[in-house]
């Protein structure tokens, strides 16, 4: 199998290098990663470039653009990729984190191109659990063929309160509501504090991660609210 590895933390990030090491037994590894950190870039991409694809070593490149561009530009390698792996992100991508995440943006772009994609994330600077458990996670993925070109597989290790996962749970995307406090400093504003309200629905990735589970969420491209679609049709009269 041919794997493309991308991320939003940059080429030298610990997470992508851990993933690269542990994926080697499964196939051929190709890396295209941003030359600088692009966290929080969501699905941003560059319209025109110029794109500087810089070869670091065999099958590994940096790019002066966004994570989404790393997937888009992979076509120049003339390789048919079986799976795009995005991560391992330094920071959880649970619930509404997914909307902001460059890690998920890259995985989404792969899905748009009909390539199965897997996003993997861990809590901030919580790579001890990754080193211990990533092999088991990859075995779970490959032995059960959890990947598909019909959804993104979003995998998150538990919060840093846990040194090991209490198990795996397939979950739905939850909610994390962010409230940020800003303070004026002369002619600019500084972000001081971010309050987070966590989902209390026991079936969500947000809740289960707080309980120590490694969560697995299938995410689709279509964001249509089917229930409200029918309600609006009645109101509009069609």
């Amino acid at each position: 199998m041919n794997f493309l590895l991308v991320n939003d933390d940059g080429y030298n990030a610990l997470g992508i290098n851990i993933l690269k090491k542990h994926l080697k037994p499964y196939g051929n590894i190709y890396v295209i990663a941003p030359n600088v950190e692009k966290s929080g870039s969501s699905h941003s991409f560059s319209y025109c470039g110029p794109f500087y694809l810089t070869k670091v070593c065999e099958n590994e490149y940096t790019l002066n653009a966004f994570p989404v561009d790393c997937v888009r530009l992979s076509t120049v390698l003339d390789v048919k990729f079986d799976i795009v792996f995005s991560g391992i992100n330094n920071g959880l991508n649970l619930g509404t984190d997914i909307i902001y995440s460059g890690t998920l943006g890259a995985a989404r772009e792969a899905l748009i191109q009909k390539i199965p994609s897997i996003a993997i994330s861990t809590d901030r600077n919580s790579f001890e659990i990754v080193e211990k458990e990533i092999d088991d996670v990859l075995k779970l993925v490959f032995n059960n063929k959890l990947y598909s070109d019909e959804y993104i597989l979003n995998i998150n290790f538990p919060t840093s309160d846990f040194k090991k996962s209490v198990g795996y749970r397939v979950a739905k995307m939850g909610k994390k509501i962010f409230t940020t406090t800003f303070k004026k400093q002369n002619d600019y504003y500084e972000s001081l504090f971010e309050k987070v309200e966590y989902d209390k629905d026991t079936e969500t990735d947000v809740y289960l991660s707080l309980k120590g589970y490694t969560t697995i969420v299938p995410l689709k491209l279509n964001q249509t609210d089917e229930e409200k679609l029918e309600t609006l049709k009645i109101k509009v009269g069609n």
Side-chain angles (χ1 to χ4, degrees), residues 3 28-29 38 40 53-54 57 59 67 76 100 106 117 119-120 124 130-132 136 143 165 195 202 220-221 228:
F3 305 125
N28 304 311
I29 309 295
K38 295 289 185 179
L53 189 65
T54 304
C57 59
N59 296 337
V76 305
Y100 302 107
S117 62
I120 307 178
R124 180 68 63 179
V130 173
E131 289 279 19
K132 290 177 181 177
D136 291 335
N143 289 348
S165 173
K195 179 183 175 183
T202 59
K220 61 183 181 179
L221 294 177
K228 295 299 184 292

Side-chain angles (χ1 to χ4, degrees), residues 165-195:
S165 173
V166 300
Y168 302 110
R169 287 289 299 272
V170 176
K172 61 184 179 180
M173 175 182 166
K175 296 178 182 177
K176 288 167 72 176
I177 300 172
F178 298 90
T179 305
T180 307
T181 300
F182 297 93
K183 182 178 180 181
K184 188 171 179 58
Q185 302 281 13
N186 297 320
D187 59 345
Y188 67 92
Y189 286 89
E190 182 180 10
S191 174
L192 293 182
F193 176 74
E194 193 162 65
K195 179 183 175 183

Side-chain angles (χ1 to χ4, degrees), residues 46-58:
S46 306
Y47 278 100
C48 301
F51 298 101
Y52 294 97
L53 189 65
T54 304
K55 188 171 184 177
V56 180
C57 59
E58 190 66 26

Side-chain angles (χ1 to χ4, degrees), residues 122-149:
T122 190
D123 209 349
R124 180 68 63 179
N125 299 322
S126 182
F127 285 98
E128 182 181 349
I129 189 172
V130 173
E131 289 279 19
K132 290 177 181 177
E133 300 189 14
I134 187 61
D135 282 330
D136 291 335
V137 168
L138 293 175
K139 285 177 186 175
L140 181 73
V141 167
F142 286 109
N143 289 348
N144 297 282
K145 198 179 177 183
L146 299 184
Y147 51 91
S148 170
D149 62 2

Side-chain angles (χ1 to χ4, degrees), residues 94-101 173-178 205-206:
L94 300 165
T96 38
D97 294 337
I98 292 165
I99 297 168
Y100 302 107
S101 170
M173 175 182 166
K175 296 178 182 177
K176 288 167 72 176
I177 300 172
F178 298 90
D205 55 353
V206 174

